[in-house]
């Protein structure tokens, strides 16, 4: 029998079961990326619970409760319990109390000897952040803690924990061979870091990583922006690199200097300290040259097709009548665009890529448009402005950005990003995609949030009902709680919709240890008559578990 245990999520229950068998019961244990259990080179199971059931039935039925069908049913109940309520944030507290009640009169979960039920439930608690916090704060129920320490002292359990490689990603702070009361060496001061999965950036070198956060100055930062900013800061700090704070001001109609000031203040609230501050508009002259270079190379053309017709042609993969324009004709129309003439305002510059591509972003995208509007920084100097898709790869390359962190919604534009890089022969940054933050019943569109503000339906951008950084901080969120919530999401590509209960749970972990407790009498007290008594004044702690908070009278 061959058992490959995953280092990403070590199957502790199955490992303990293997170690409980005499000389491991002929099971050859190896470590790899995924859990697999095979007999005669045939893969049978990939979950810890299934491996436990198989080994107990084949090697030692006592681990399954013996021949008693009722006992086996109880074991199955606890195996399901370990991957159900014990791993559900909303049910965890209830599950812990239920376990404590069951163990109030029992040494083991089933029968009078350890079974795979004990091993699997122990394994679930061992990697549980919530259980870790309960133990450290002395809040673990007494019967359950007694059982947990007893199971942890068993020879087979110690052997299983000592076999886990040092690089295995155990979630809790219990390191190999240590008791629940000892702190983790992986976090300073014995404080466990609760983090999601973070990808190792390809080609990243310590001290050389440069990331960027490029918001558009058209509104306040919301919680989705906060995730982007904090993820970039995470890699900046992890690789001792640099973070570029760049305002994407390619659309003069949306840009407001006031919003730039607000965004910088929001970053300060989030305790983010960029190393470099720039604007995309710093490179407008250079991007004009690059645009003309593409036109002269025949890789771009000027198109005066009506917007509605252009959209229809792109949808139907029909080439524009201007796609075959001569270079001279394109340059003449380009000059009209730069002057902002009535004829020039009808035109745009399109990259000549592939109108037959299944990827709509590659069907000759617009890279420059003519707008006779004043820009907050450059005034009326320019009449043409680059699109974000054209400006972004150029500025990323020029500013030395090594890794571009972008949400999955930009996936179809990645090919376009690299096409511009290759066509202009620029240095190529690496793109890493992560899932955008989606919250239930929450509007994150700046356009829609602006509508609420302009219609007077809210107090402003800092309304406590708003998902803006200022809104949630005004509602009671702490910066540390917000950061912990974002870090817990990691840089995974898995798209999930988060409940607001989750973020407030993180906030509670931050404020609960330090929040003073007070009592008050309501504005309409009910008089109660008692026998004459001596009146006394006492000094008591403001926090039942943290005397440093102080005392109250």
């Amino acid at each position: 029998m061959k058992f490959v245990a995953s280092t990403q999520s070590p199957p502790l229950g199955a490992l303990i079961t293997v170690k409980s068998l005499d000389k491991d019961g002929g099971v050859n244990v190896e470590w790899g990326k995924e859990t697999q259990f095979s007999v005669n080179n045939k893969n049978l199971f990939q979950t810890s619970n299934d491996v436990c059931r198989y080994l107990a039935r084949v090697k030692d039925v006592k681990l399954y409760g013996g021949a008693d069908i009722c006992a086996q049913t109880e074991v199955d109940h606890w195996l399901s319990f370990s991957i159900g309520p014990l791993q559900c944030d909303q049910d965890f507290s209830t599950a812990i109390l239920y376990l404590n009640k069951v163990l109030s009169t029992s040494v083991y979960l089933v029968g009078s000897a350890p079974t795979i039920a004990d091993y699997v439930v122990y394994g679930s608690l061992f990697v549980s952040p919530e259980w870790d916090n309960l133990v450290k704060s002395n809040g673990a129920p007494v019967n359950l803690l007694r059982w947990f320490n007893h199971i942890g002292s068993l020879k087979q359990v110690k052997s299983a924990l000592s076999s886990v490689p040092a690089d295995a990603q155990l979630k809790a702070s219990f390191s190999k061979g240590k008791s629940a009361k000892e702190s983790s060496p992986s976090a300073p001061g014995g404080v466990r870091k609760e983090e999601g999965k973070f990808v190792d950036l390809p080609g990243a070198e310590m001290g050389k990583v440069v990331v960027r956060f490029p918001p558009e100055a058209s509104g306040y930062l919301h919680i989705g922006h906060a995730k982007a900013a904090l993820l970039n800061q995470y890699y900046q700090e992890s690789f001792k690199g640099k973070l570029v704070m760049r305002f994407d001001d390619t659309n003069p109609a949306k840009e407001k200097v006031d919003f730039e000031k607000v965004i910088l203040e929001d970053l300060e609230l989030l305790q983010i300290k960029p190393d470099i501050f720039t604007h995309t508009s710093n490179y407008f002259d250079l991007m004009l040259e690059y645009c003309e270079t593409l036109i002269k190379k025949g890789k771009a053309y000027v198109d005066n097709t009506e917007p509605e017709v252009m959209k229809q042609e792109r949808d139907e993969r029909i080439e524009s009548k201007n796609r075959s324009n001569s270079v001279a004709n394109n340059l003449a129309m380009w000059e009209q665009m730069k002057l902002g003439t009535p004829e020039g305002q009808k035109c745009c510059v399109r990259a000549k890529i592939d109108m037959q591509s299944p990827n709509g972003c590659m069907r000759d995208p617009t890279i420059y448009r003519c707008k006779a509007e004043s820009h907050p920084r450059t005034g009326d100097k320019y009449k043409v402005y680059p699109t974000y898709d054209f400006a972004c790869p150029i500025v990323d390359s020029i500013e030395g950005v090594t890794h571009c962190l972008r949400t999955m919604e930009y996936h179809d534009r990645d090919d376009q990003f690299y096409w511009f890089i290759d066509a202009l022969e620029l240095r190529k940054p690496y793109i890493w995609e992560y899932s955008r933050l989606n919250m239930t019943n929450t509007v994150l569109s700046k356009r829609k949030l602006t509508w609420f503000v302009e219609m007077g339906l809210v107090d402003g951008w800092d309304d406590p009902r708003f998902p803006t950084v200022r809104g949630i901080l005004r509602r009671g969120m702490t910066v540390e709680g917000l950061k912990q919530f974002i870090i817990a999401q990691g840089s995974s590509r898995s798209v999930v919709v988060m409940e607001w209960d989750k973020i407030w749970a993180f906030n509670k972990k931050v404020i609960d240890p330090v929040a003073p407790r007070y009592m008050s009498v309501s504005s309409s007290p009910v008089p109660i008559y008692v026998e004459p008594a001596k009146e006394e004044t006492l000094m008591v702690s403001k926090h039942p578990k943290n005397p440093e908070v102080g005392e109250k009278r």
Side-chain angles (χ1 to χ4, degrees):
M1 298 179 185
K2 182 179 178 181
F3 178 31
V4 179
S6 168
T7 56
Q8 299 297 316
S9 52
L12 295 183
L15 285 173
I16 298 171
T17 301
V18 170
K19 296 299 180 181
S20 68
L21 303 175
D22 185 29
K23 295 183 180 181
D24 295 347
V27 180
N28 181 29
V29 179
E30 298 179 6
W31 290 91
K33 292 184 177 180
E34 296 182 356
T35 296
Q36 289 186 344
F37 187 81
S38 59
V39 178
N40 298 326
N41 295 322
K42 181 179 180 181
N43 290 334
L44 298 180
F45 311 113
Q46 290 185 331
T47 69
S48 179
N49 287 5
D50 290 339
V51 174
C52 289
R53 283 189 178 97
Y54 180 86
L55 290 175
R57 285 170 173 167
V58 174
K59 293 292 183 179
D60 188 354
V61 74
K62 293 180 181 179
L63 293 175
Y64 210 146
D68 186 348
I69 299 298
C70 292
Q72 291 185 9
T73 302
E74 284 189 70
V75 170
D76 285 333
H77 161 72
W78 290 116
L79 296 186
S80 299
F81 181 84
S82 69
I83 59 176
L86 274 187
Q87 294 189 15
C88 178
D89 291 343
Q90 297 178 344
D91 297 337
F92 184 79
S93 298
T94 304
I96 289 298
L97 295 177
Y98 171 58
L99 268 172
N100 187 64
K101 181 178 180 181
V102 170
L103 291 167
S104 61
T105 57
S106 305
V107 178
Y108 303 105
L109 290 174
V110 180
S112 58
T115 64
I116 56 175
D118 296 285
Y119 299 156
V120 171
V121 172
Y122 176 87
S124 293
L125 287 177
F126 189 93
V127 298
S128 168
E130 290 81 3
W131 175 249
D132 188 16
N133 292 333
L134 284 175
V135 173
K136 287 182 177 179
S137 63
N138 295 322
V142 59
N143 298 319
L144 180 55
L145 183 61
R146 178 258 307 160
W147 169 88
F148 184 85
N149 289 332
H150 171 60
I151 298 298
S153 68
L154 298 178
K155 179 180 178 181
Q156 58 268 35
V157 177
K158 290 183 176 180
S159 177
L161 292 177
S162 64
S163 69
V164 178
D167 60 345
Q169 298 180 10
L170 286 176
K171 297 179 183 177
S173 64
F174 310 110
S175 59
K176 294 182 297 184
K178 288 191 175 184
S179 70
K181 295 182 180 180
E182 294 181 87
S183 61
S184 169
S186 63
V191 179
R192 185 190 146 273
K193 291 182 69 178
E194 187 174 348
E195 294 184 352
K197 179 181 178 181
F198 284 88
V199 65
D200 292 329
L201 298 180
E205 298 181 39
M206 191 62 66
K208 296 183 179 181
V209 169
V210 180
V211 292
R212 87 291 196 265
F213 175 57
E216 184 180 51
S218 59
Y220 286 51
L221 294 186
H222 57 57
I223 192 170
H225 297 123
K227 176 177 181 178
L230 289 169
L231 283 182
N232 278 284
Q233 183 192 47
Y234 177 90
Y235 286 112
Q236 169 207 19
E237 295 176 345
S238 297
F239 288 96
K240 296 179 171 59
K242 293 182 179 180
L243 171 60
V244 177
M245 168 64 212
R246 181 199 311 151
F247 284 109
D248 169 42
D249 53 352
T250 56
N251 190 347
K254 291 186 177 181
E255 310 304 324
K256 291 184 180 180
V257 176
D258 292 343
F259 281 139
E260 290 190 7
K261 179 182 177 182
V262 164
I263 289 174
L264 293 177
E265 291 174 352
D266 285 347
L267 289 181
E268 189 174 346
L269 287 174
L270 292 173
Q271 301 172 4
I272 295 174
K273 298 179 180 180
D275 300 284
I276 303 170
F277 292 90
T278 67
H279 290 76
T280 301
S281 56
N282 294 346
Y283 306 94
F284 276 176
D285 287 334
L286 181 60
M287 282 185 275
L288 284 172
E289 295 178 11
Y290 279 135
C291 181
E292 291 182 8
T293 298
L294 291 180
I295 292 175
K296 292 175 181 178
K297 287 183 177 181
K299 295 185 177 181
Y301 61 96
V302 181
D303 195 355
N304 60 2
T305 305
E306 291 292 329
E308 295 78 9
V309 177
M310 186 185 300
K311 181 181 183 303
Q312 182 178 354
E313 288 180 345
R314 292 190 68 195
D315 291 341
E316 298 176 2
R317 308 186 188 188
I318 300 173
E319 293 185 1
S320 168
K321 62 181 184 297
N322 293 298
R323 200 173 197 269
S324 58
N325 285 351
S326 65
V327 172
N329 191 15
N330 283 325
L331 288 175
M333 297 172 70
W334 170 241
E335 289 299 323
Q336 293 296 310
M337 287 182 63
K338 290 197 295 182
L339 293 173
T341 65
E343 186 61 33
Q345 293 182 36
K346 298 178 181 178
C347 302
C348 68
V349 181
R350 299 175 64 182
K352 190 184 292 186
I353 305 181
D354 182 8
M355 282 299 293
Q356 303 307 314
S357 173
N359 183 351
C361 294
M362 298 296 283
R363 297 175 199 160
D364 294 6
T366 299
I367 61 175
Y368 253 96
R369 65 268 204 233
C370 183
K371 292 192 174 186
E373 300 169 354
S374 180
H375 191 280
R377 298 189 73 244
T378 62
D380 298 322
K381 180 179 179 180
Y382 304 99
K383 298 296 187 293
V384 290
Y385 296 94
T387 60
Y388 173 80
D389 289 335
F390 181 65
C392 184
I394 294 175
V395 182
D396 282 343
S397 181
I398 293 172
E399 291 187 338
V401 174
T402 59
H403 297 81
C404 307
L405 306 183
R406 313 208 306 183
T407 54
M408 292 291 291
E409 61 190 297
Y410 286 95
H411 177 73
D412 289 344
R413 302 186 185 186
D414 290 352
D415 291 339
Q416 184 190 102
F417 182 100
Y418 287 125
W419 187 91
F420 290 128
I421 291 289
D422 293 336
L424 296 171
E425 299 178 357
L426 298 173
R427 181 190 59 83
K428 185 177 295 186
Y430 183 87
I431 294 176
W432 174 258
E433 299 168 329
Y434 62 91
S435 63
R436 66 176 294 173
L437 182 61
N438 298 302
M439 305 296 293
T440 57
N441 304 318
T442 305
V443 174
L444 291 178
S445 166
K446 277 197 291 187
R447 177 177 58 82
K448 295 179 180 178
L449 293 177
T450 300
W451 179 85
F452 277 100
V453 175
E454 292 177 346
M455 295 296 292
L457 299 175
V458 292
D459 294 344
W461 287 92
D462 64 343
D463 189 289
R465 294 167 293 180
F466 254 27
T468 55
V469 170
R470 297 191 182 205
I472 59 176
L473 290 180
R474 183 180 171 192
R475 184 163 180 160
M477 173 60 59
T478 61
V479 173
E480 183 60 29
L482 178 59
K483 292 176 72 172
Q484 288 185 17
F485 170 74
I486 298 298
I487 295 302
Q489 309 314 307
S491 59
S492 169
R493 295 179 178 179
S494 302
V495 179
V496 294
V497 178
M498 304 298 297
E499 296 281 349
W500 278 98
D501 289 350
K502 181 77 173 179
I503 190 172
W504 293 115
F506 276 91
N507 196 50
K508 182 178 179 181
K509 291 179 183 178
V510 174
I511 64 176
D512 184 67
V514 297
R517 271 60 167 175
Y518 289 101
M519 297 176 65
S520 65
V521 179
S522 68
S523 59
S524 302
V526 177
I528 298 178
Y529 299 95
V530 297
E531 293 294 329
K534 180 181 178 181
E535 184 175 328
E536 291 182 297
T537 299
L538 299 176
M539 297 298 294
V540 296
S541 176
K542 289 182 179 178
H543 195 291
K545 298 178 182 178
N546 187 0
E548 294 181 3
V549 176
E551 294 184 326
K552 61 185 176 183
R553 186 177 298 276

